[in-house]
Amino acid sequence: MLSGIMNMAAAIRTSGRTLPVNAEFSGRKMSPQTRRTVPMDTGWVTECERYMLWIDGVGAWQLCIGQNFLIGGPTLEHQSADICLLANISRKHAALQRIQEDWFIHPYQQTVVSGRTVADRSLLKSGDEIRLGERVRLGFRIPSVLSGSAVVDFESSHRPAQSVNGIILMTDTCLLGPRRDYHICCPEWPDLVVLFRQDGQLRCRSKMSLKVNEDRVRESAALNNGAIVTGDDFRFRIERLKNLNGT
Amino acid sequence: MKFTFAPETRPLDGYTIKRAIHRGGFGEVYYALSDAGKEVALKLLNNNLDVELRGVSQCLNLKHPNLVTIFDIRQDADQDHWIVMEYVGGRGLHEVMQDHPAGMPVSEVLSWLSGITAGLSFLHDRGIVHRDLKPANVFSDDGIVKIGDVGLSKYISESRRSAQTQSVGTVYYMAPEVARGRYGREVDIYALGVMLVEMLTGHVPFDGETTAEILMKHLTADPDLSAVSPAIRPVLAAALEKDPSKRTGDADELERQFRLAVGQLSAKEFTFASAKPLPAADSSSRPAARENLNAALNRGRSVRERSMAGMAGTWEPTVRFWNERVPTPLKWIICGSLFLLIMESGVLRPVAAGGLVGGAAYLAWRAYLSIFGKSAPKSTGMAWYGEQSAAETAAVNLRPGQYDIPVSDGSVRQNRATVPQPILPSARTYTPVTVRRIPAGQKAVDITSSMSIALLAVVLVTTAVHLATDLLPQPAHVAFFGSVTLLAAWALIVPCKIWEGRPVDTVMRRLTLGSVGLGLGAVAWTIKEFLLLTDHALLHAGDGGMMRDIPGGRISIASPDGIPTIAGFMVFFGILFAARRWWWHIDSFRKSRFRVSSALFTLAVGAMLTVAMPFPEALGATWALAISAVVQLSAGWTPPEERSLLPAPDTRSATPSQAPARHPGTMAPRATT
């Protein structure tokens, strides 16, 4: 598998695309797990880790953890995009990248950001509308000043194969709670729950008393695949999506 | 919110629960995936009662795009019942309403209303009453409105008992007769009325601290509709009538009235709409059955089918706004003002001013009609049509199948059986190319009345030109302009009305009209000579005219001092008559009585002619516009909803015949039953 990716990376490299920020990516806060995969020149160093958040009474969100997020259309092959939409777009249509404090979009195919066509890597700001191909429209926002993570909303009817309310591009933390400026607004929840990464692990913490799989959470607790987080009046489950290269 | 089932549990074989969606009045609803990955909603029924299940079982096989589809009813290991149904991803109406605390825009209300009405009509037609219609049960999934909880509503009284604890919401939409145990389809109309008020104002009409207080208000209080625009108030008041027998009859009727009222807000064009229904063209030739159908339809049960699918185009909102919300006279004034701006420095300025004044005159005339005419039919027996864009017209149709029409005829019944058909045979859109037989007498009446109305129209238009421009300063000018316009209108109306209904042979018609135009040109020149008009300002062709220097043999079309000769007049009118398809302006089945675009296009043709040949620019263009306006205003026209072709009385003639055309200010005789 690894050699396959190497080959592919080599093939892509010959196509002439280079990304000057690669070195920076592999150096920052990367978990051992993510660092293991091979950087690729097309602009996504790794496939990100992908989770589904099933939140009772609120909805379902896809949580992508990483620094580079590839958006693409459906494919029957193993290698599909991190954000894979059922839409008439290229399999590698564009990538969203977090570089230090900024978000960039790297278009591979026809991409329009808030009305202007972008050909090269361009800065994204909260509230931008991303149009891929003719008809796919996505909203990009960074809801919270407390976190650099972004949210991708579906503005056209194009979605992943299963219903999701939105996609969280998590670079540091993901905030769930009653306020609108959290990544996931759960109106009925009494207070904030934070998801964050530490030592290559996805963890959660809150001021409220939480249980993860029936175990009371002290400071914070690791969320493994299938973990059910329960509060006094809410519940959600986290499910690891199979990474598309098999990891 | 606590839910019974944890994620990843499998209460039903084959389905894995992923998350809880919400807790409704009837139980918990979960989002689940089948083993193959199909998304479904699973609803666990609280009260495991037979009657309740009977309600759902009845609805298991109902198919309608505006109803949430039920796939199956299953029992788990604990003998609890689950309803497996379509997962609807979109937002509920109650959530959308929260975004609009002071009421939603009317256009949005209409799109919700049309979806709800379609679903509700379908249910009512199947003899099913929803009984628990409320915003939390209505969703929009990718623009398609879906009504949920169908068949679950037997137990309104049940949920009312528990209302205090969890779902107070239900009582807001509960009709007063429910308290007496009556559940007719009027209950749904009442709920829809409450929802309309809530959508428009952001508040339910009957609110209170306690369930009992709200129920009491439903029974006794008059709804406070002061926040709603006065035109809509009577419609909502009729839907919220306490006595179910006095309430609006069915959902389609409510929607129709609502659209009509909304249309009146923008002074829509109904003056010409009337009570005459479309008989289903080929439903049956038996007079008795048709009469019954007519009678039923006459009671105002016509409906327009709408599709929300095509509303996404970028221009669509603008076009819709222009077509539906801008009243015709205002369109005139806007067009006129625009023209004035564009032509500020040009020679067409007087023409633009004429258009402006014409629009004002038209407005005044419409106001006169609506005040003094017996027209302005308000609520009964009239299909409402917007300013017809092509798509709209095509979408408009009657669905006779939805009503309990006492028809004994089997063939009609067959037709009625399939309701959600978008287009029934009766929905055909008739255009000027529709070949039909028009009785000679009817045609003669049409021609003579069109001609007499043309006289009035010419006076109106000529006066407008006289007052608004300095083109016609003296009475002789006015007489010249008016008489030629009138003769031109007559010369067009007579042949075109004679051709009406016959198969179109464009070349022949153009040639004929061209020759008529040549003749009219000669007459116009004669009139000019007779009136001794040698006015340079009016008749001088300027130095324009590309054909000026082209030698025309022995004939010249302009005299050396730039005044067109008899040949010039003949060429101008000949080309003007041949260039436009005038029979489209004149046919009773033209798109709308007056199309501004047609008039403007004719104006452009006239203007181009004056550029191409030495003919006075202002006069030529104004004439073209005036003739088009007069012809359209005066030629008999049948509103689309009245366009019906009666089957040929004798079987040998295959061509159906047409109902009489209408003339401005006259009302078609109401169909008597």
Side-chain angles (χ1 to χ4, degrees):
Chain A
M1 173 56 73
L2 203 62
S3 67
I5 296 173
M6 294 284 259
N7 287 342
M8 194 174 169
I12 291 164
R13 195 172 289 121
T14 54
S15 73
R17 285 204 186 94
T18 53
L19 187 74
V21 287
N22 265 353
E24 186 183 302
F25 279 150
S26 44
R28 287 181 75 235
K29 278 199 204 165
M30 278 288 166
S31 66
Q33 195 183 5
T34 49
R35 206 176 293 147
R36 202 181 58 217
T37 49
V38 177
M40 283 202 245
D41 274 355
T42 44
W44 83 107
V45 178
T46 68
E47 275 86 19
C48 55
E49 284 176 50
R50 305 190 312 157
Y51 295 90
M52 279 296 286
L53 277 176
W54 304 99
I55 307 172
D56 279 358
V58 180
W61 268 265
Q62 183 181 324
L63 184 68
C64 297
I65 305 175
Q67 303 287 330
N68 293 270
F69 309 91
L70 179 71
I71 309 174
T75 167
L76 294 176
E77 292 160 34
H78 228 41
Q79 183 88 25
S80 80
D82 303 319
I83 301 171
C84 179
L85 301 173
L86 284 185
N88 185 18
I89 55 175
S90 169
R91 282 178 298 163
K92 292 172 197 153
H93 202 100
L96 303 178
Q97 306 174 334
R98 177 86 194 274
I99 299 173
Q100 291 177 348
E101 295 307 309
D102 292 320
W103 280 93
F104 292 91
I105 185 162
H106 196 120
Y108 302 120
Q109 301 289 339
Q110 186 197 350
T111 303
V112 177
V113 176
S114 294
R116 87 200 125 82
T117 306
V118 291
D120 293 311
R121 203 183 72 186
S122 325
L123 191 66
L124 280 179
K125 58 183 192 308
S126 186
D128 271 338
E129 185 202 69
I130 301 170
R131 206 172 77 214
L132 307 174
E134 291 298 323
R135 298 165 61 94
V136 180
R137 284 180 293 116
L138 301 172
F140 176 88
R141 60 191 165 95
I142 304 161
S144 174
V145 290
L146 304 173
S147 160
S149 302
V151 180
V152 173
D153 301 306
F154 307 111
E155 291 183 359
S156 56
S157 59
H158 302 89
R159 307 275 145 108
Q162 278 178 10
S163 299
V164 265
N165 295 53
I167 293 175
I168 316 291
L169 308 180
M170 176 169 156
T171 53
D172 40 31
T173 54
C174 174
L175 316 178
L176 294 79
R179 286 172 48 171
R180 279 192 178 267
D181 62 348
Y182 294 153
H183 298 103
I184 302 176
C185 174
C186 310
E188 314 272 306
W189 289 19
D191 204 353
L192 172 70
V193 174
V194 184
L195 306 185
F196 62 103
R197 276 184 69 87
Q198 201 172 49
D199 304 328
Q201 251 187 344
L202 184 64
R203 302 182 70 84
C204 75
R205 65 163 188 262
S206 173
K207 276 188 268 180
M208 301 179 288
S209 69
L210 291 183
K211 280 181 185 171
V212 173
N213 295 335
E214 300 302 313
D215 297 329
R216 190 159 292 280
V217 176
R218 297 248 167 87
E219 194 90 332
S220 71
L223 299 177
N224 300 318
N225 183 22
I228 297 178
V229 180
T230 319
D232 282 341
D233 207 22
F234 61 89
R235 180 169 68 189
F236 68 93
R237 177 172 181 274
I238 192 148
E239 182 180 331
R240 178 87 186 254
L241 292 176
K242 279 206 187 86
N243 241 1
L244 299 147
N245 57 4
T247 58
Chain B
M1 252 185 270
K2 287 284 187 194
F3 292 92
T4 317
F5 285 85
E8 289 300 302
T9 46
R10 289 168 63 91
L12 293 179
D13 190 34
Y15 296 102
T16 309
I17 286 181
K18 286 297 186 182
R19 66 183 175 91
I21 299 174
H22 67 96
R23 190 196 314 278
F26 297 95
E28 297 170 342
V29 186
Y30 295 91
Y31 170 93
L33 291 176
S34 79
D35 291 348
K38 172 80 181 169
E39 301 176 324
V40 293
L42 296 180
K43 176 170 266 191
L44 173 63
L45 294 181
N46 283 340
N47 311 318
N48 196 355
L49 294 165
D50 281 345
V51 199
E52 188 168 327
L53 285 172
R54 272 212 315 267
V56 199
S57 318
Q58 277 180 342
C59 302
L60 258 181
N61 294 315
L62 289 183
K63 291 193 192 88
H64 192 273
N66 297 111
L67 300 181
V68 175
T69 309
I70 303 174
F71 295 135
D72 207 354
I73 303 172
R74 300 271 294 270
Q75 238 177 336
D76 64 11
D78 301 330
Q79 309 301 310
D80 283 330
H81 282 93
W82 293 77
I83 298 174
V84 185
M85 54 190 184
E86 174 188 9
Y87 171 68
V88 179
R91 305 175 71 204
L93 178 54
H94 59 300
E95 294 170 271
V96 177
M97 280 178 181
Q98 281 169 7
D99 292 350
H100 301 280
M104 293 157 58
V106 172
S107 59
E108 216 169 309
V109 174
L110 281 175
S111 79
W112 282 97
L113 175 64
S114 60
I116 299 171
T117 311
L120 211 53
S121 292
F122 176 82
L123 278 182
H124 290 175
D125 184 56
R126 295 293 178 276
I128 292 163
V129 181
H130 189 291
R131 294 185 171 109
D132 194 19
L133 197 62
K134 56 184 175 184
N137 271 343
V138 180
F139 309 89
S140 171
D141 196 9
D142 273 344
I144 300 169
V145 176
K146 302 252 181 195
I147 304 177
D149 273 0
V150 175
L152 277 176
S153 20
K154 273 282 180 188
Y155 277 78
I156 274 197
S157 48
E158 200 71 32
S159 68
R160 198 178 80 197
R161 213 179 297 143
S162 55
Q164 248 130 356
T165 53
Q166 37 173 305
S167 58
V168 181
T170 312
V171 297
Y172 290 127
Y173 309 94
M174 195 181 291
E177 69 267 24
V178 172
R180 294 187 290 273
R182 290 182 54 187
Y183 302 99
R185 66 181 183 189
E186 300 85 7
V187 168
D188 290 345
I189 306 296
Y190 188 88
L192 185 53
V194 175
M195 283 162 66
L196 276 175
V197 175
E198 194 179 0
M199 281 192 262
L200 289 168
T201 65
H203 304 284
V204 287
F206 304 105
D207 204 351
E209 296 289 313
T210 63
T211 310
E213 185 186 343
I214 297 168
L215 287 174
M216 190 49 71
K217 282 189 179 167
H218 277 301
L219 284 164
T220 56
D222 280 333
D224 175 19
L225 299 174
S226 53
V228 184
S229 116
I232 306 178
R233 270 178 222 162
V235 178
L236 296 177
L240 296 175
E241 187 64 56
K242 309 282 179 213
D243 180 352
S245 59
K246 288 185 194 157
R247 202 170 294 153
T248 311
D250 55 48
D252 285 321
E253 172 68 14
L254 174 55
E255 184 191 351
R256 197 189 60 73
Q257 288 180 6
F258 186 78
R259 282 186 183 274
L260 190 66
V262 167
Q264 269 168 352
L265 293 181
S266 51
K268 283 267 7 135
E269 173 156 332
F270 324 107
T271 324
F272 300 116
S274 90
K276 195 156 170 276
L278 275 178
D282 56 350
S283 62
S284 162
S285 55
R286 284 202 198 176
R290 197 168 58 238
E291 248 174 41
N292 274 334
L293 203 63
N294 273 352
L297 290 169
N298 242 345
R299 276 179 247 131
R301 298 173 154 180
S302 40
V303 80
R304 80 205 276 233
E305 186 72 42
R306 64 237 59 86
S307 129
M308 308 210 314
M311 282 170 54
T314 331
W315 279 101
E316 192 83 40
T318 326
V319 171
R320 283 181 70 91
F321 179 79
W322 179 259
N323 282 340
E324 289 183 2
R325 308 300 307 277
V326 181
T328 309
L330 190 58
K331 281 181 194 165
W332 263 88
I333 293 170
I334 291 173
C335 281
S337 320
L338 273 178
F339 224 71
L340 204 58
L341 270 179
I342 295 165
M343 297 293 164
E344 183 58 39
S345 57
V347 295
L348 291 178
R349 187 173 166 182
V351 181
L356 203 63
V357 173
Y362 189 44
L363 178 68
W365 179 51
R366 292 282 302 283
Y368 169 81
L369 273 188
S370 61
I371 297 166
F372 297 108
K374 283 178 300 190
S375 46
K378 279 217 169 110
S379 59
T380 51
M382 177 190 104
W384 179 75
Y385 285 79
E387 193 71 13
Q388 304 87 18
S389 71
E392 294 249 5
T393 315
V396 166
N397 83 73
L398 293 171
R399 286 188 297 177
Q402 292 201 305
Y403 313 105
D404 302 312
I405 303 163
V407 189
S408 53
D409 188 292
S411 65
V412 178
R413 194 171 293 275
Q414 232 173 16
N415 241 347
R416 307 190 307 139
T418 48
V419 167
Q421 277 179 333
I423 305 284
L424 281 176
S426 62
R428 284 177 45 190
T429 313
Y430 298 112
T431 68
V433 294
T434 311
V435 175
R436 69 270 185 198
R437 202 178 55 76
I438 305 168
Q442 188 182 318
K443 210 170 240 186
V445 170
D446 194 8
I447 291 173
T448 45
S449 29
S450 299
M451 286 171 74
S452 17
I453 291 165
L455 199 62
L456 281 173
V458 164
V459 170
L460 188 77
V461 169
T462 312
T463 314
V465 174
H466 172 63
L467 293 179
T469 71
D470 46 11
L471 191 65
L472 312 170
Q474 293 163 20
H477 296 139
V478 176
F480 174 54
F481 184 88
S483 55
V484 173
T485 311
L486 179 65
L487 288 175
W490 283 353
L492 287 168
I493 288 173
V494 173
C496 291
K497 277 290 175 194
I498 291 174
W499 285 329
E500 193 172 304
R502 298 192 190 163
V504 178
D505 178 349
T506 310
V507 176
M508 187 277 291
R509 288 193 181 182
R510 280 189 197 274
L511 279 177
T512 315
L513 287 182
S515 338
V516 172
L518 288 177
L520 182 84
V523 175
W525 182 81
T526 317
I527 297 176
K528 183 195 76 134
E529 292 296 296
F530 178 73
L531 291 171
L532 300 173
L533 289 179
T534 48
D535 193 330
H536 224 68
L538 176 67
L539 294 170
H540 183 59
D543 47 18
M546 291 182 256
M547 278 157 59
R548 181 143 199 201
D549 299 328
I550 301 171
R554 258 174 268 167
I555 307 164
S556 68
I557 48 180
S559 65
D561 55 355
I563 308 268
T565 61
I566 181 167
F569 273 96
M570 288 171 70
V571 169
F572 175 78
F573 282 103
I575 298 179
L576 183 66
F577 276 30
R580 300 286 282 130
R581 293 181 302 176
W582 289 96
W583 54 97
W584 280 81
H585 289 58
I586 287 166
D587 200 287
S588 333
F589 282 4
R590 63 183 181 268
K591 223 165 187 179
S592 58
R593 171 174 292 278
F594 198 105
R595 300 195 75 194
V596 176
S597 55
S598 282
L600 289 182
F601 195 72
T602 313
L603 168 74
V605 169
M608 263 149 55
L609 262 178
T610 61
V611 172
M613 59 179 281
F615 198 84
E617 287 97 343
L619 183 63
T622 316
W623 245 333
L625 180 69
I627 294 170
S628 175
V630 167
V631 155
Q632 290 192 63
L633 281 173
S634 55
W637 177 68
T638 314
E641 68 271 24
E642 287 179 24
R643 289 178 192 174
S644 55
L645 297 181
L646 308 171
D650 56 331
T651 43
R652 279 174 303 152
S653 141
T655 322
S657 61
Q658 179 200 321
R662 289 254 307 280
H663 294 278
T666 66
M667 293 299 298
R670 276 184 73 109
T672 45
T673 53

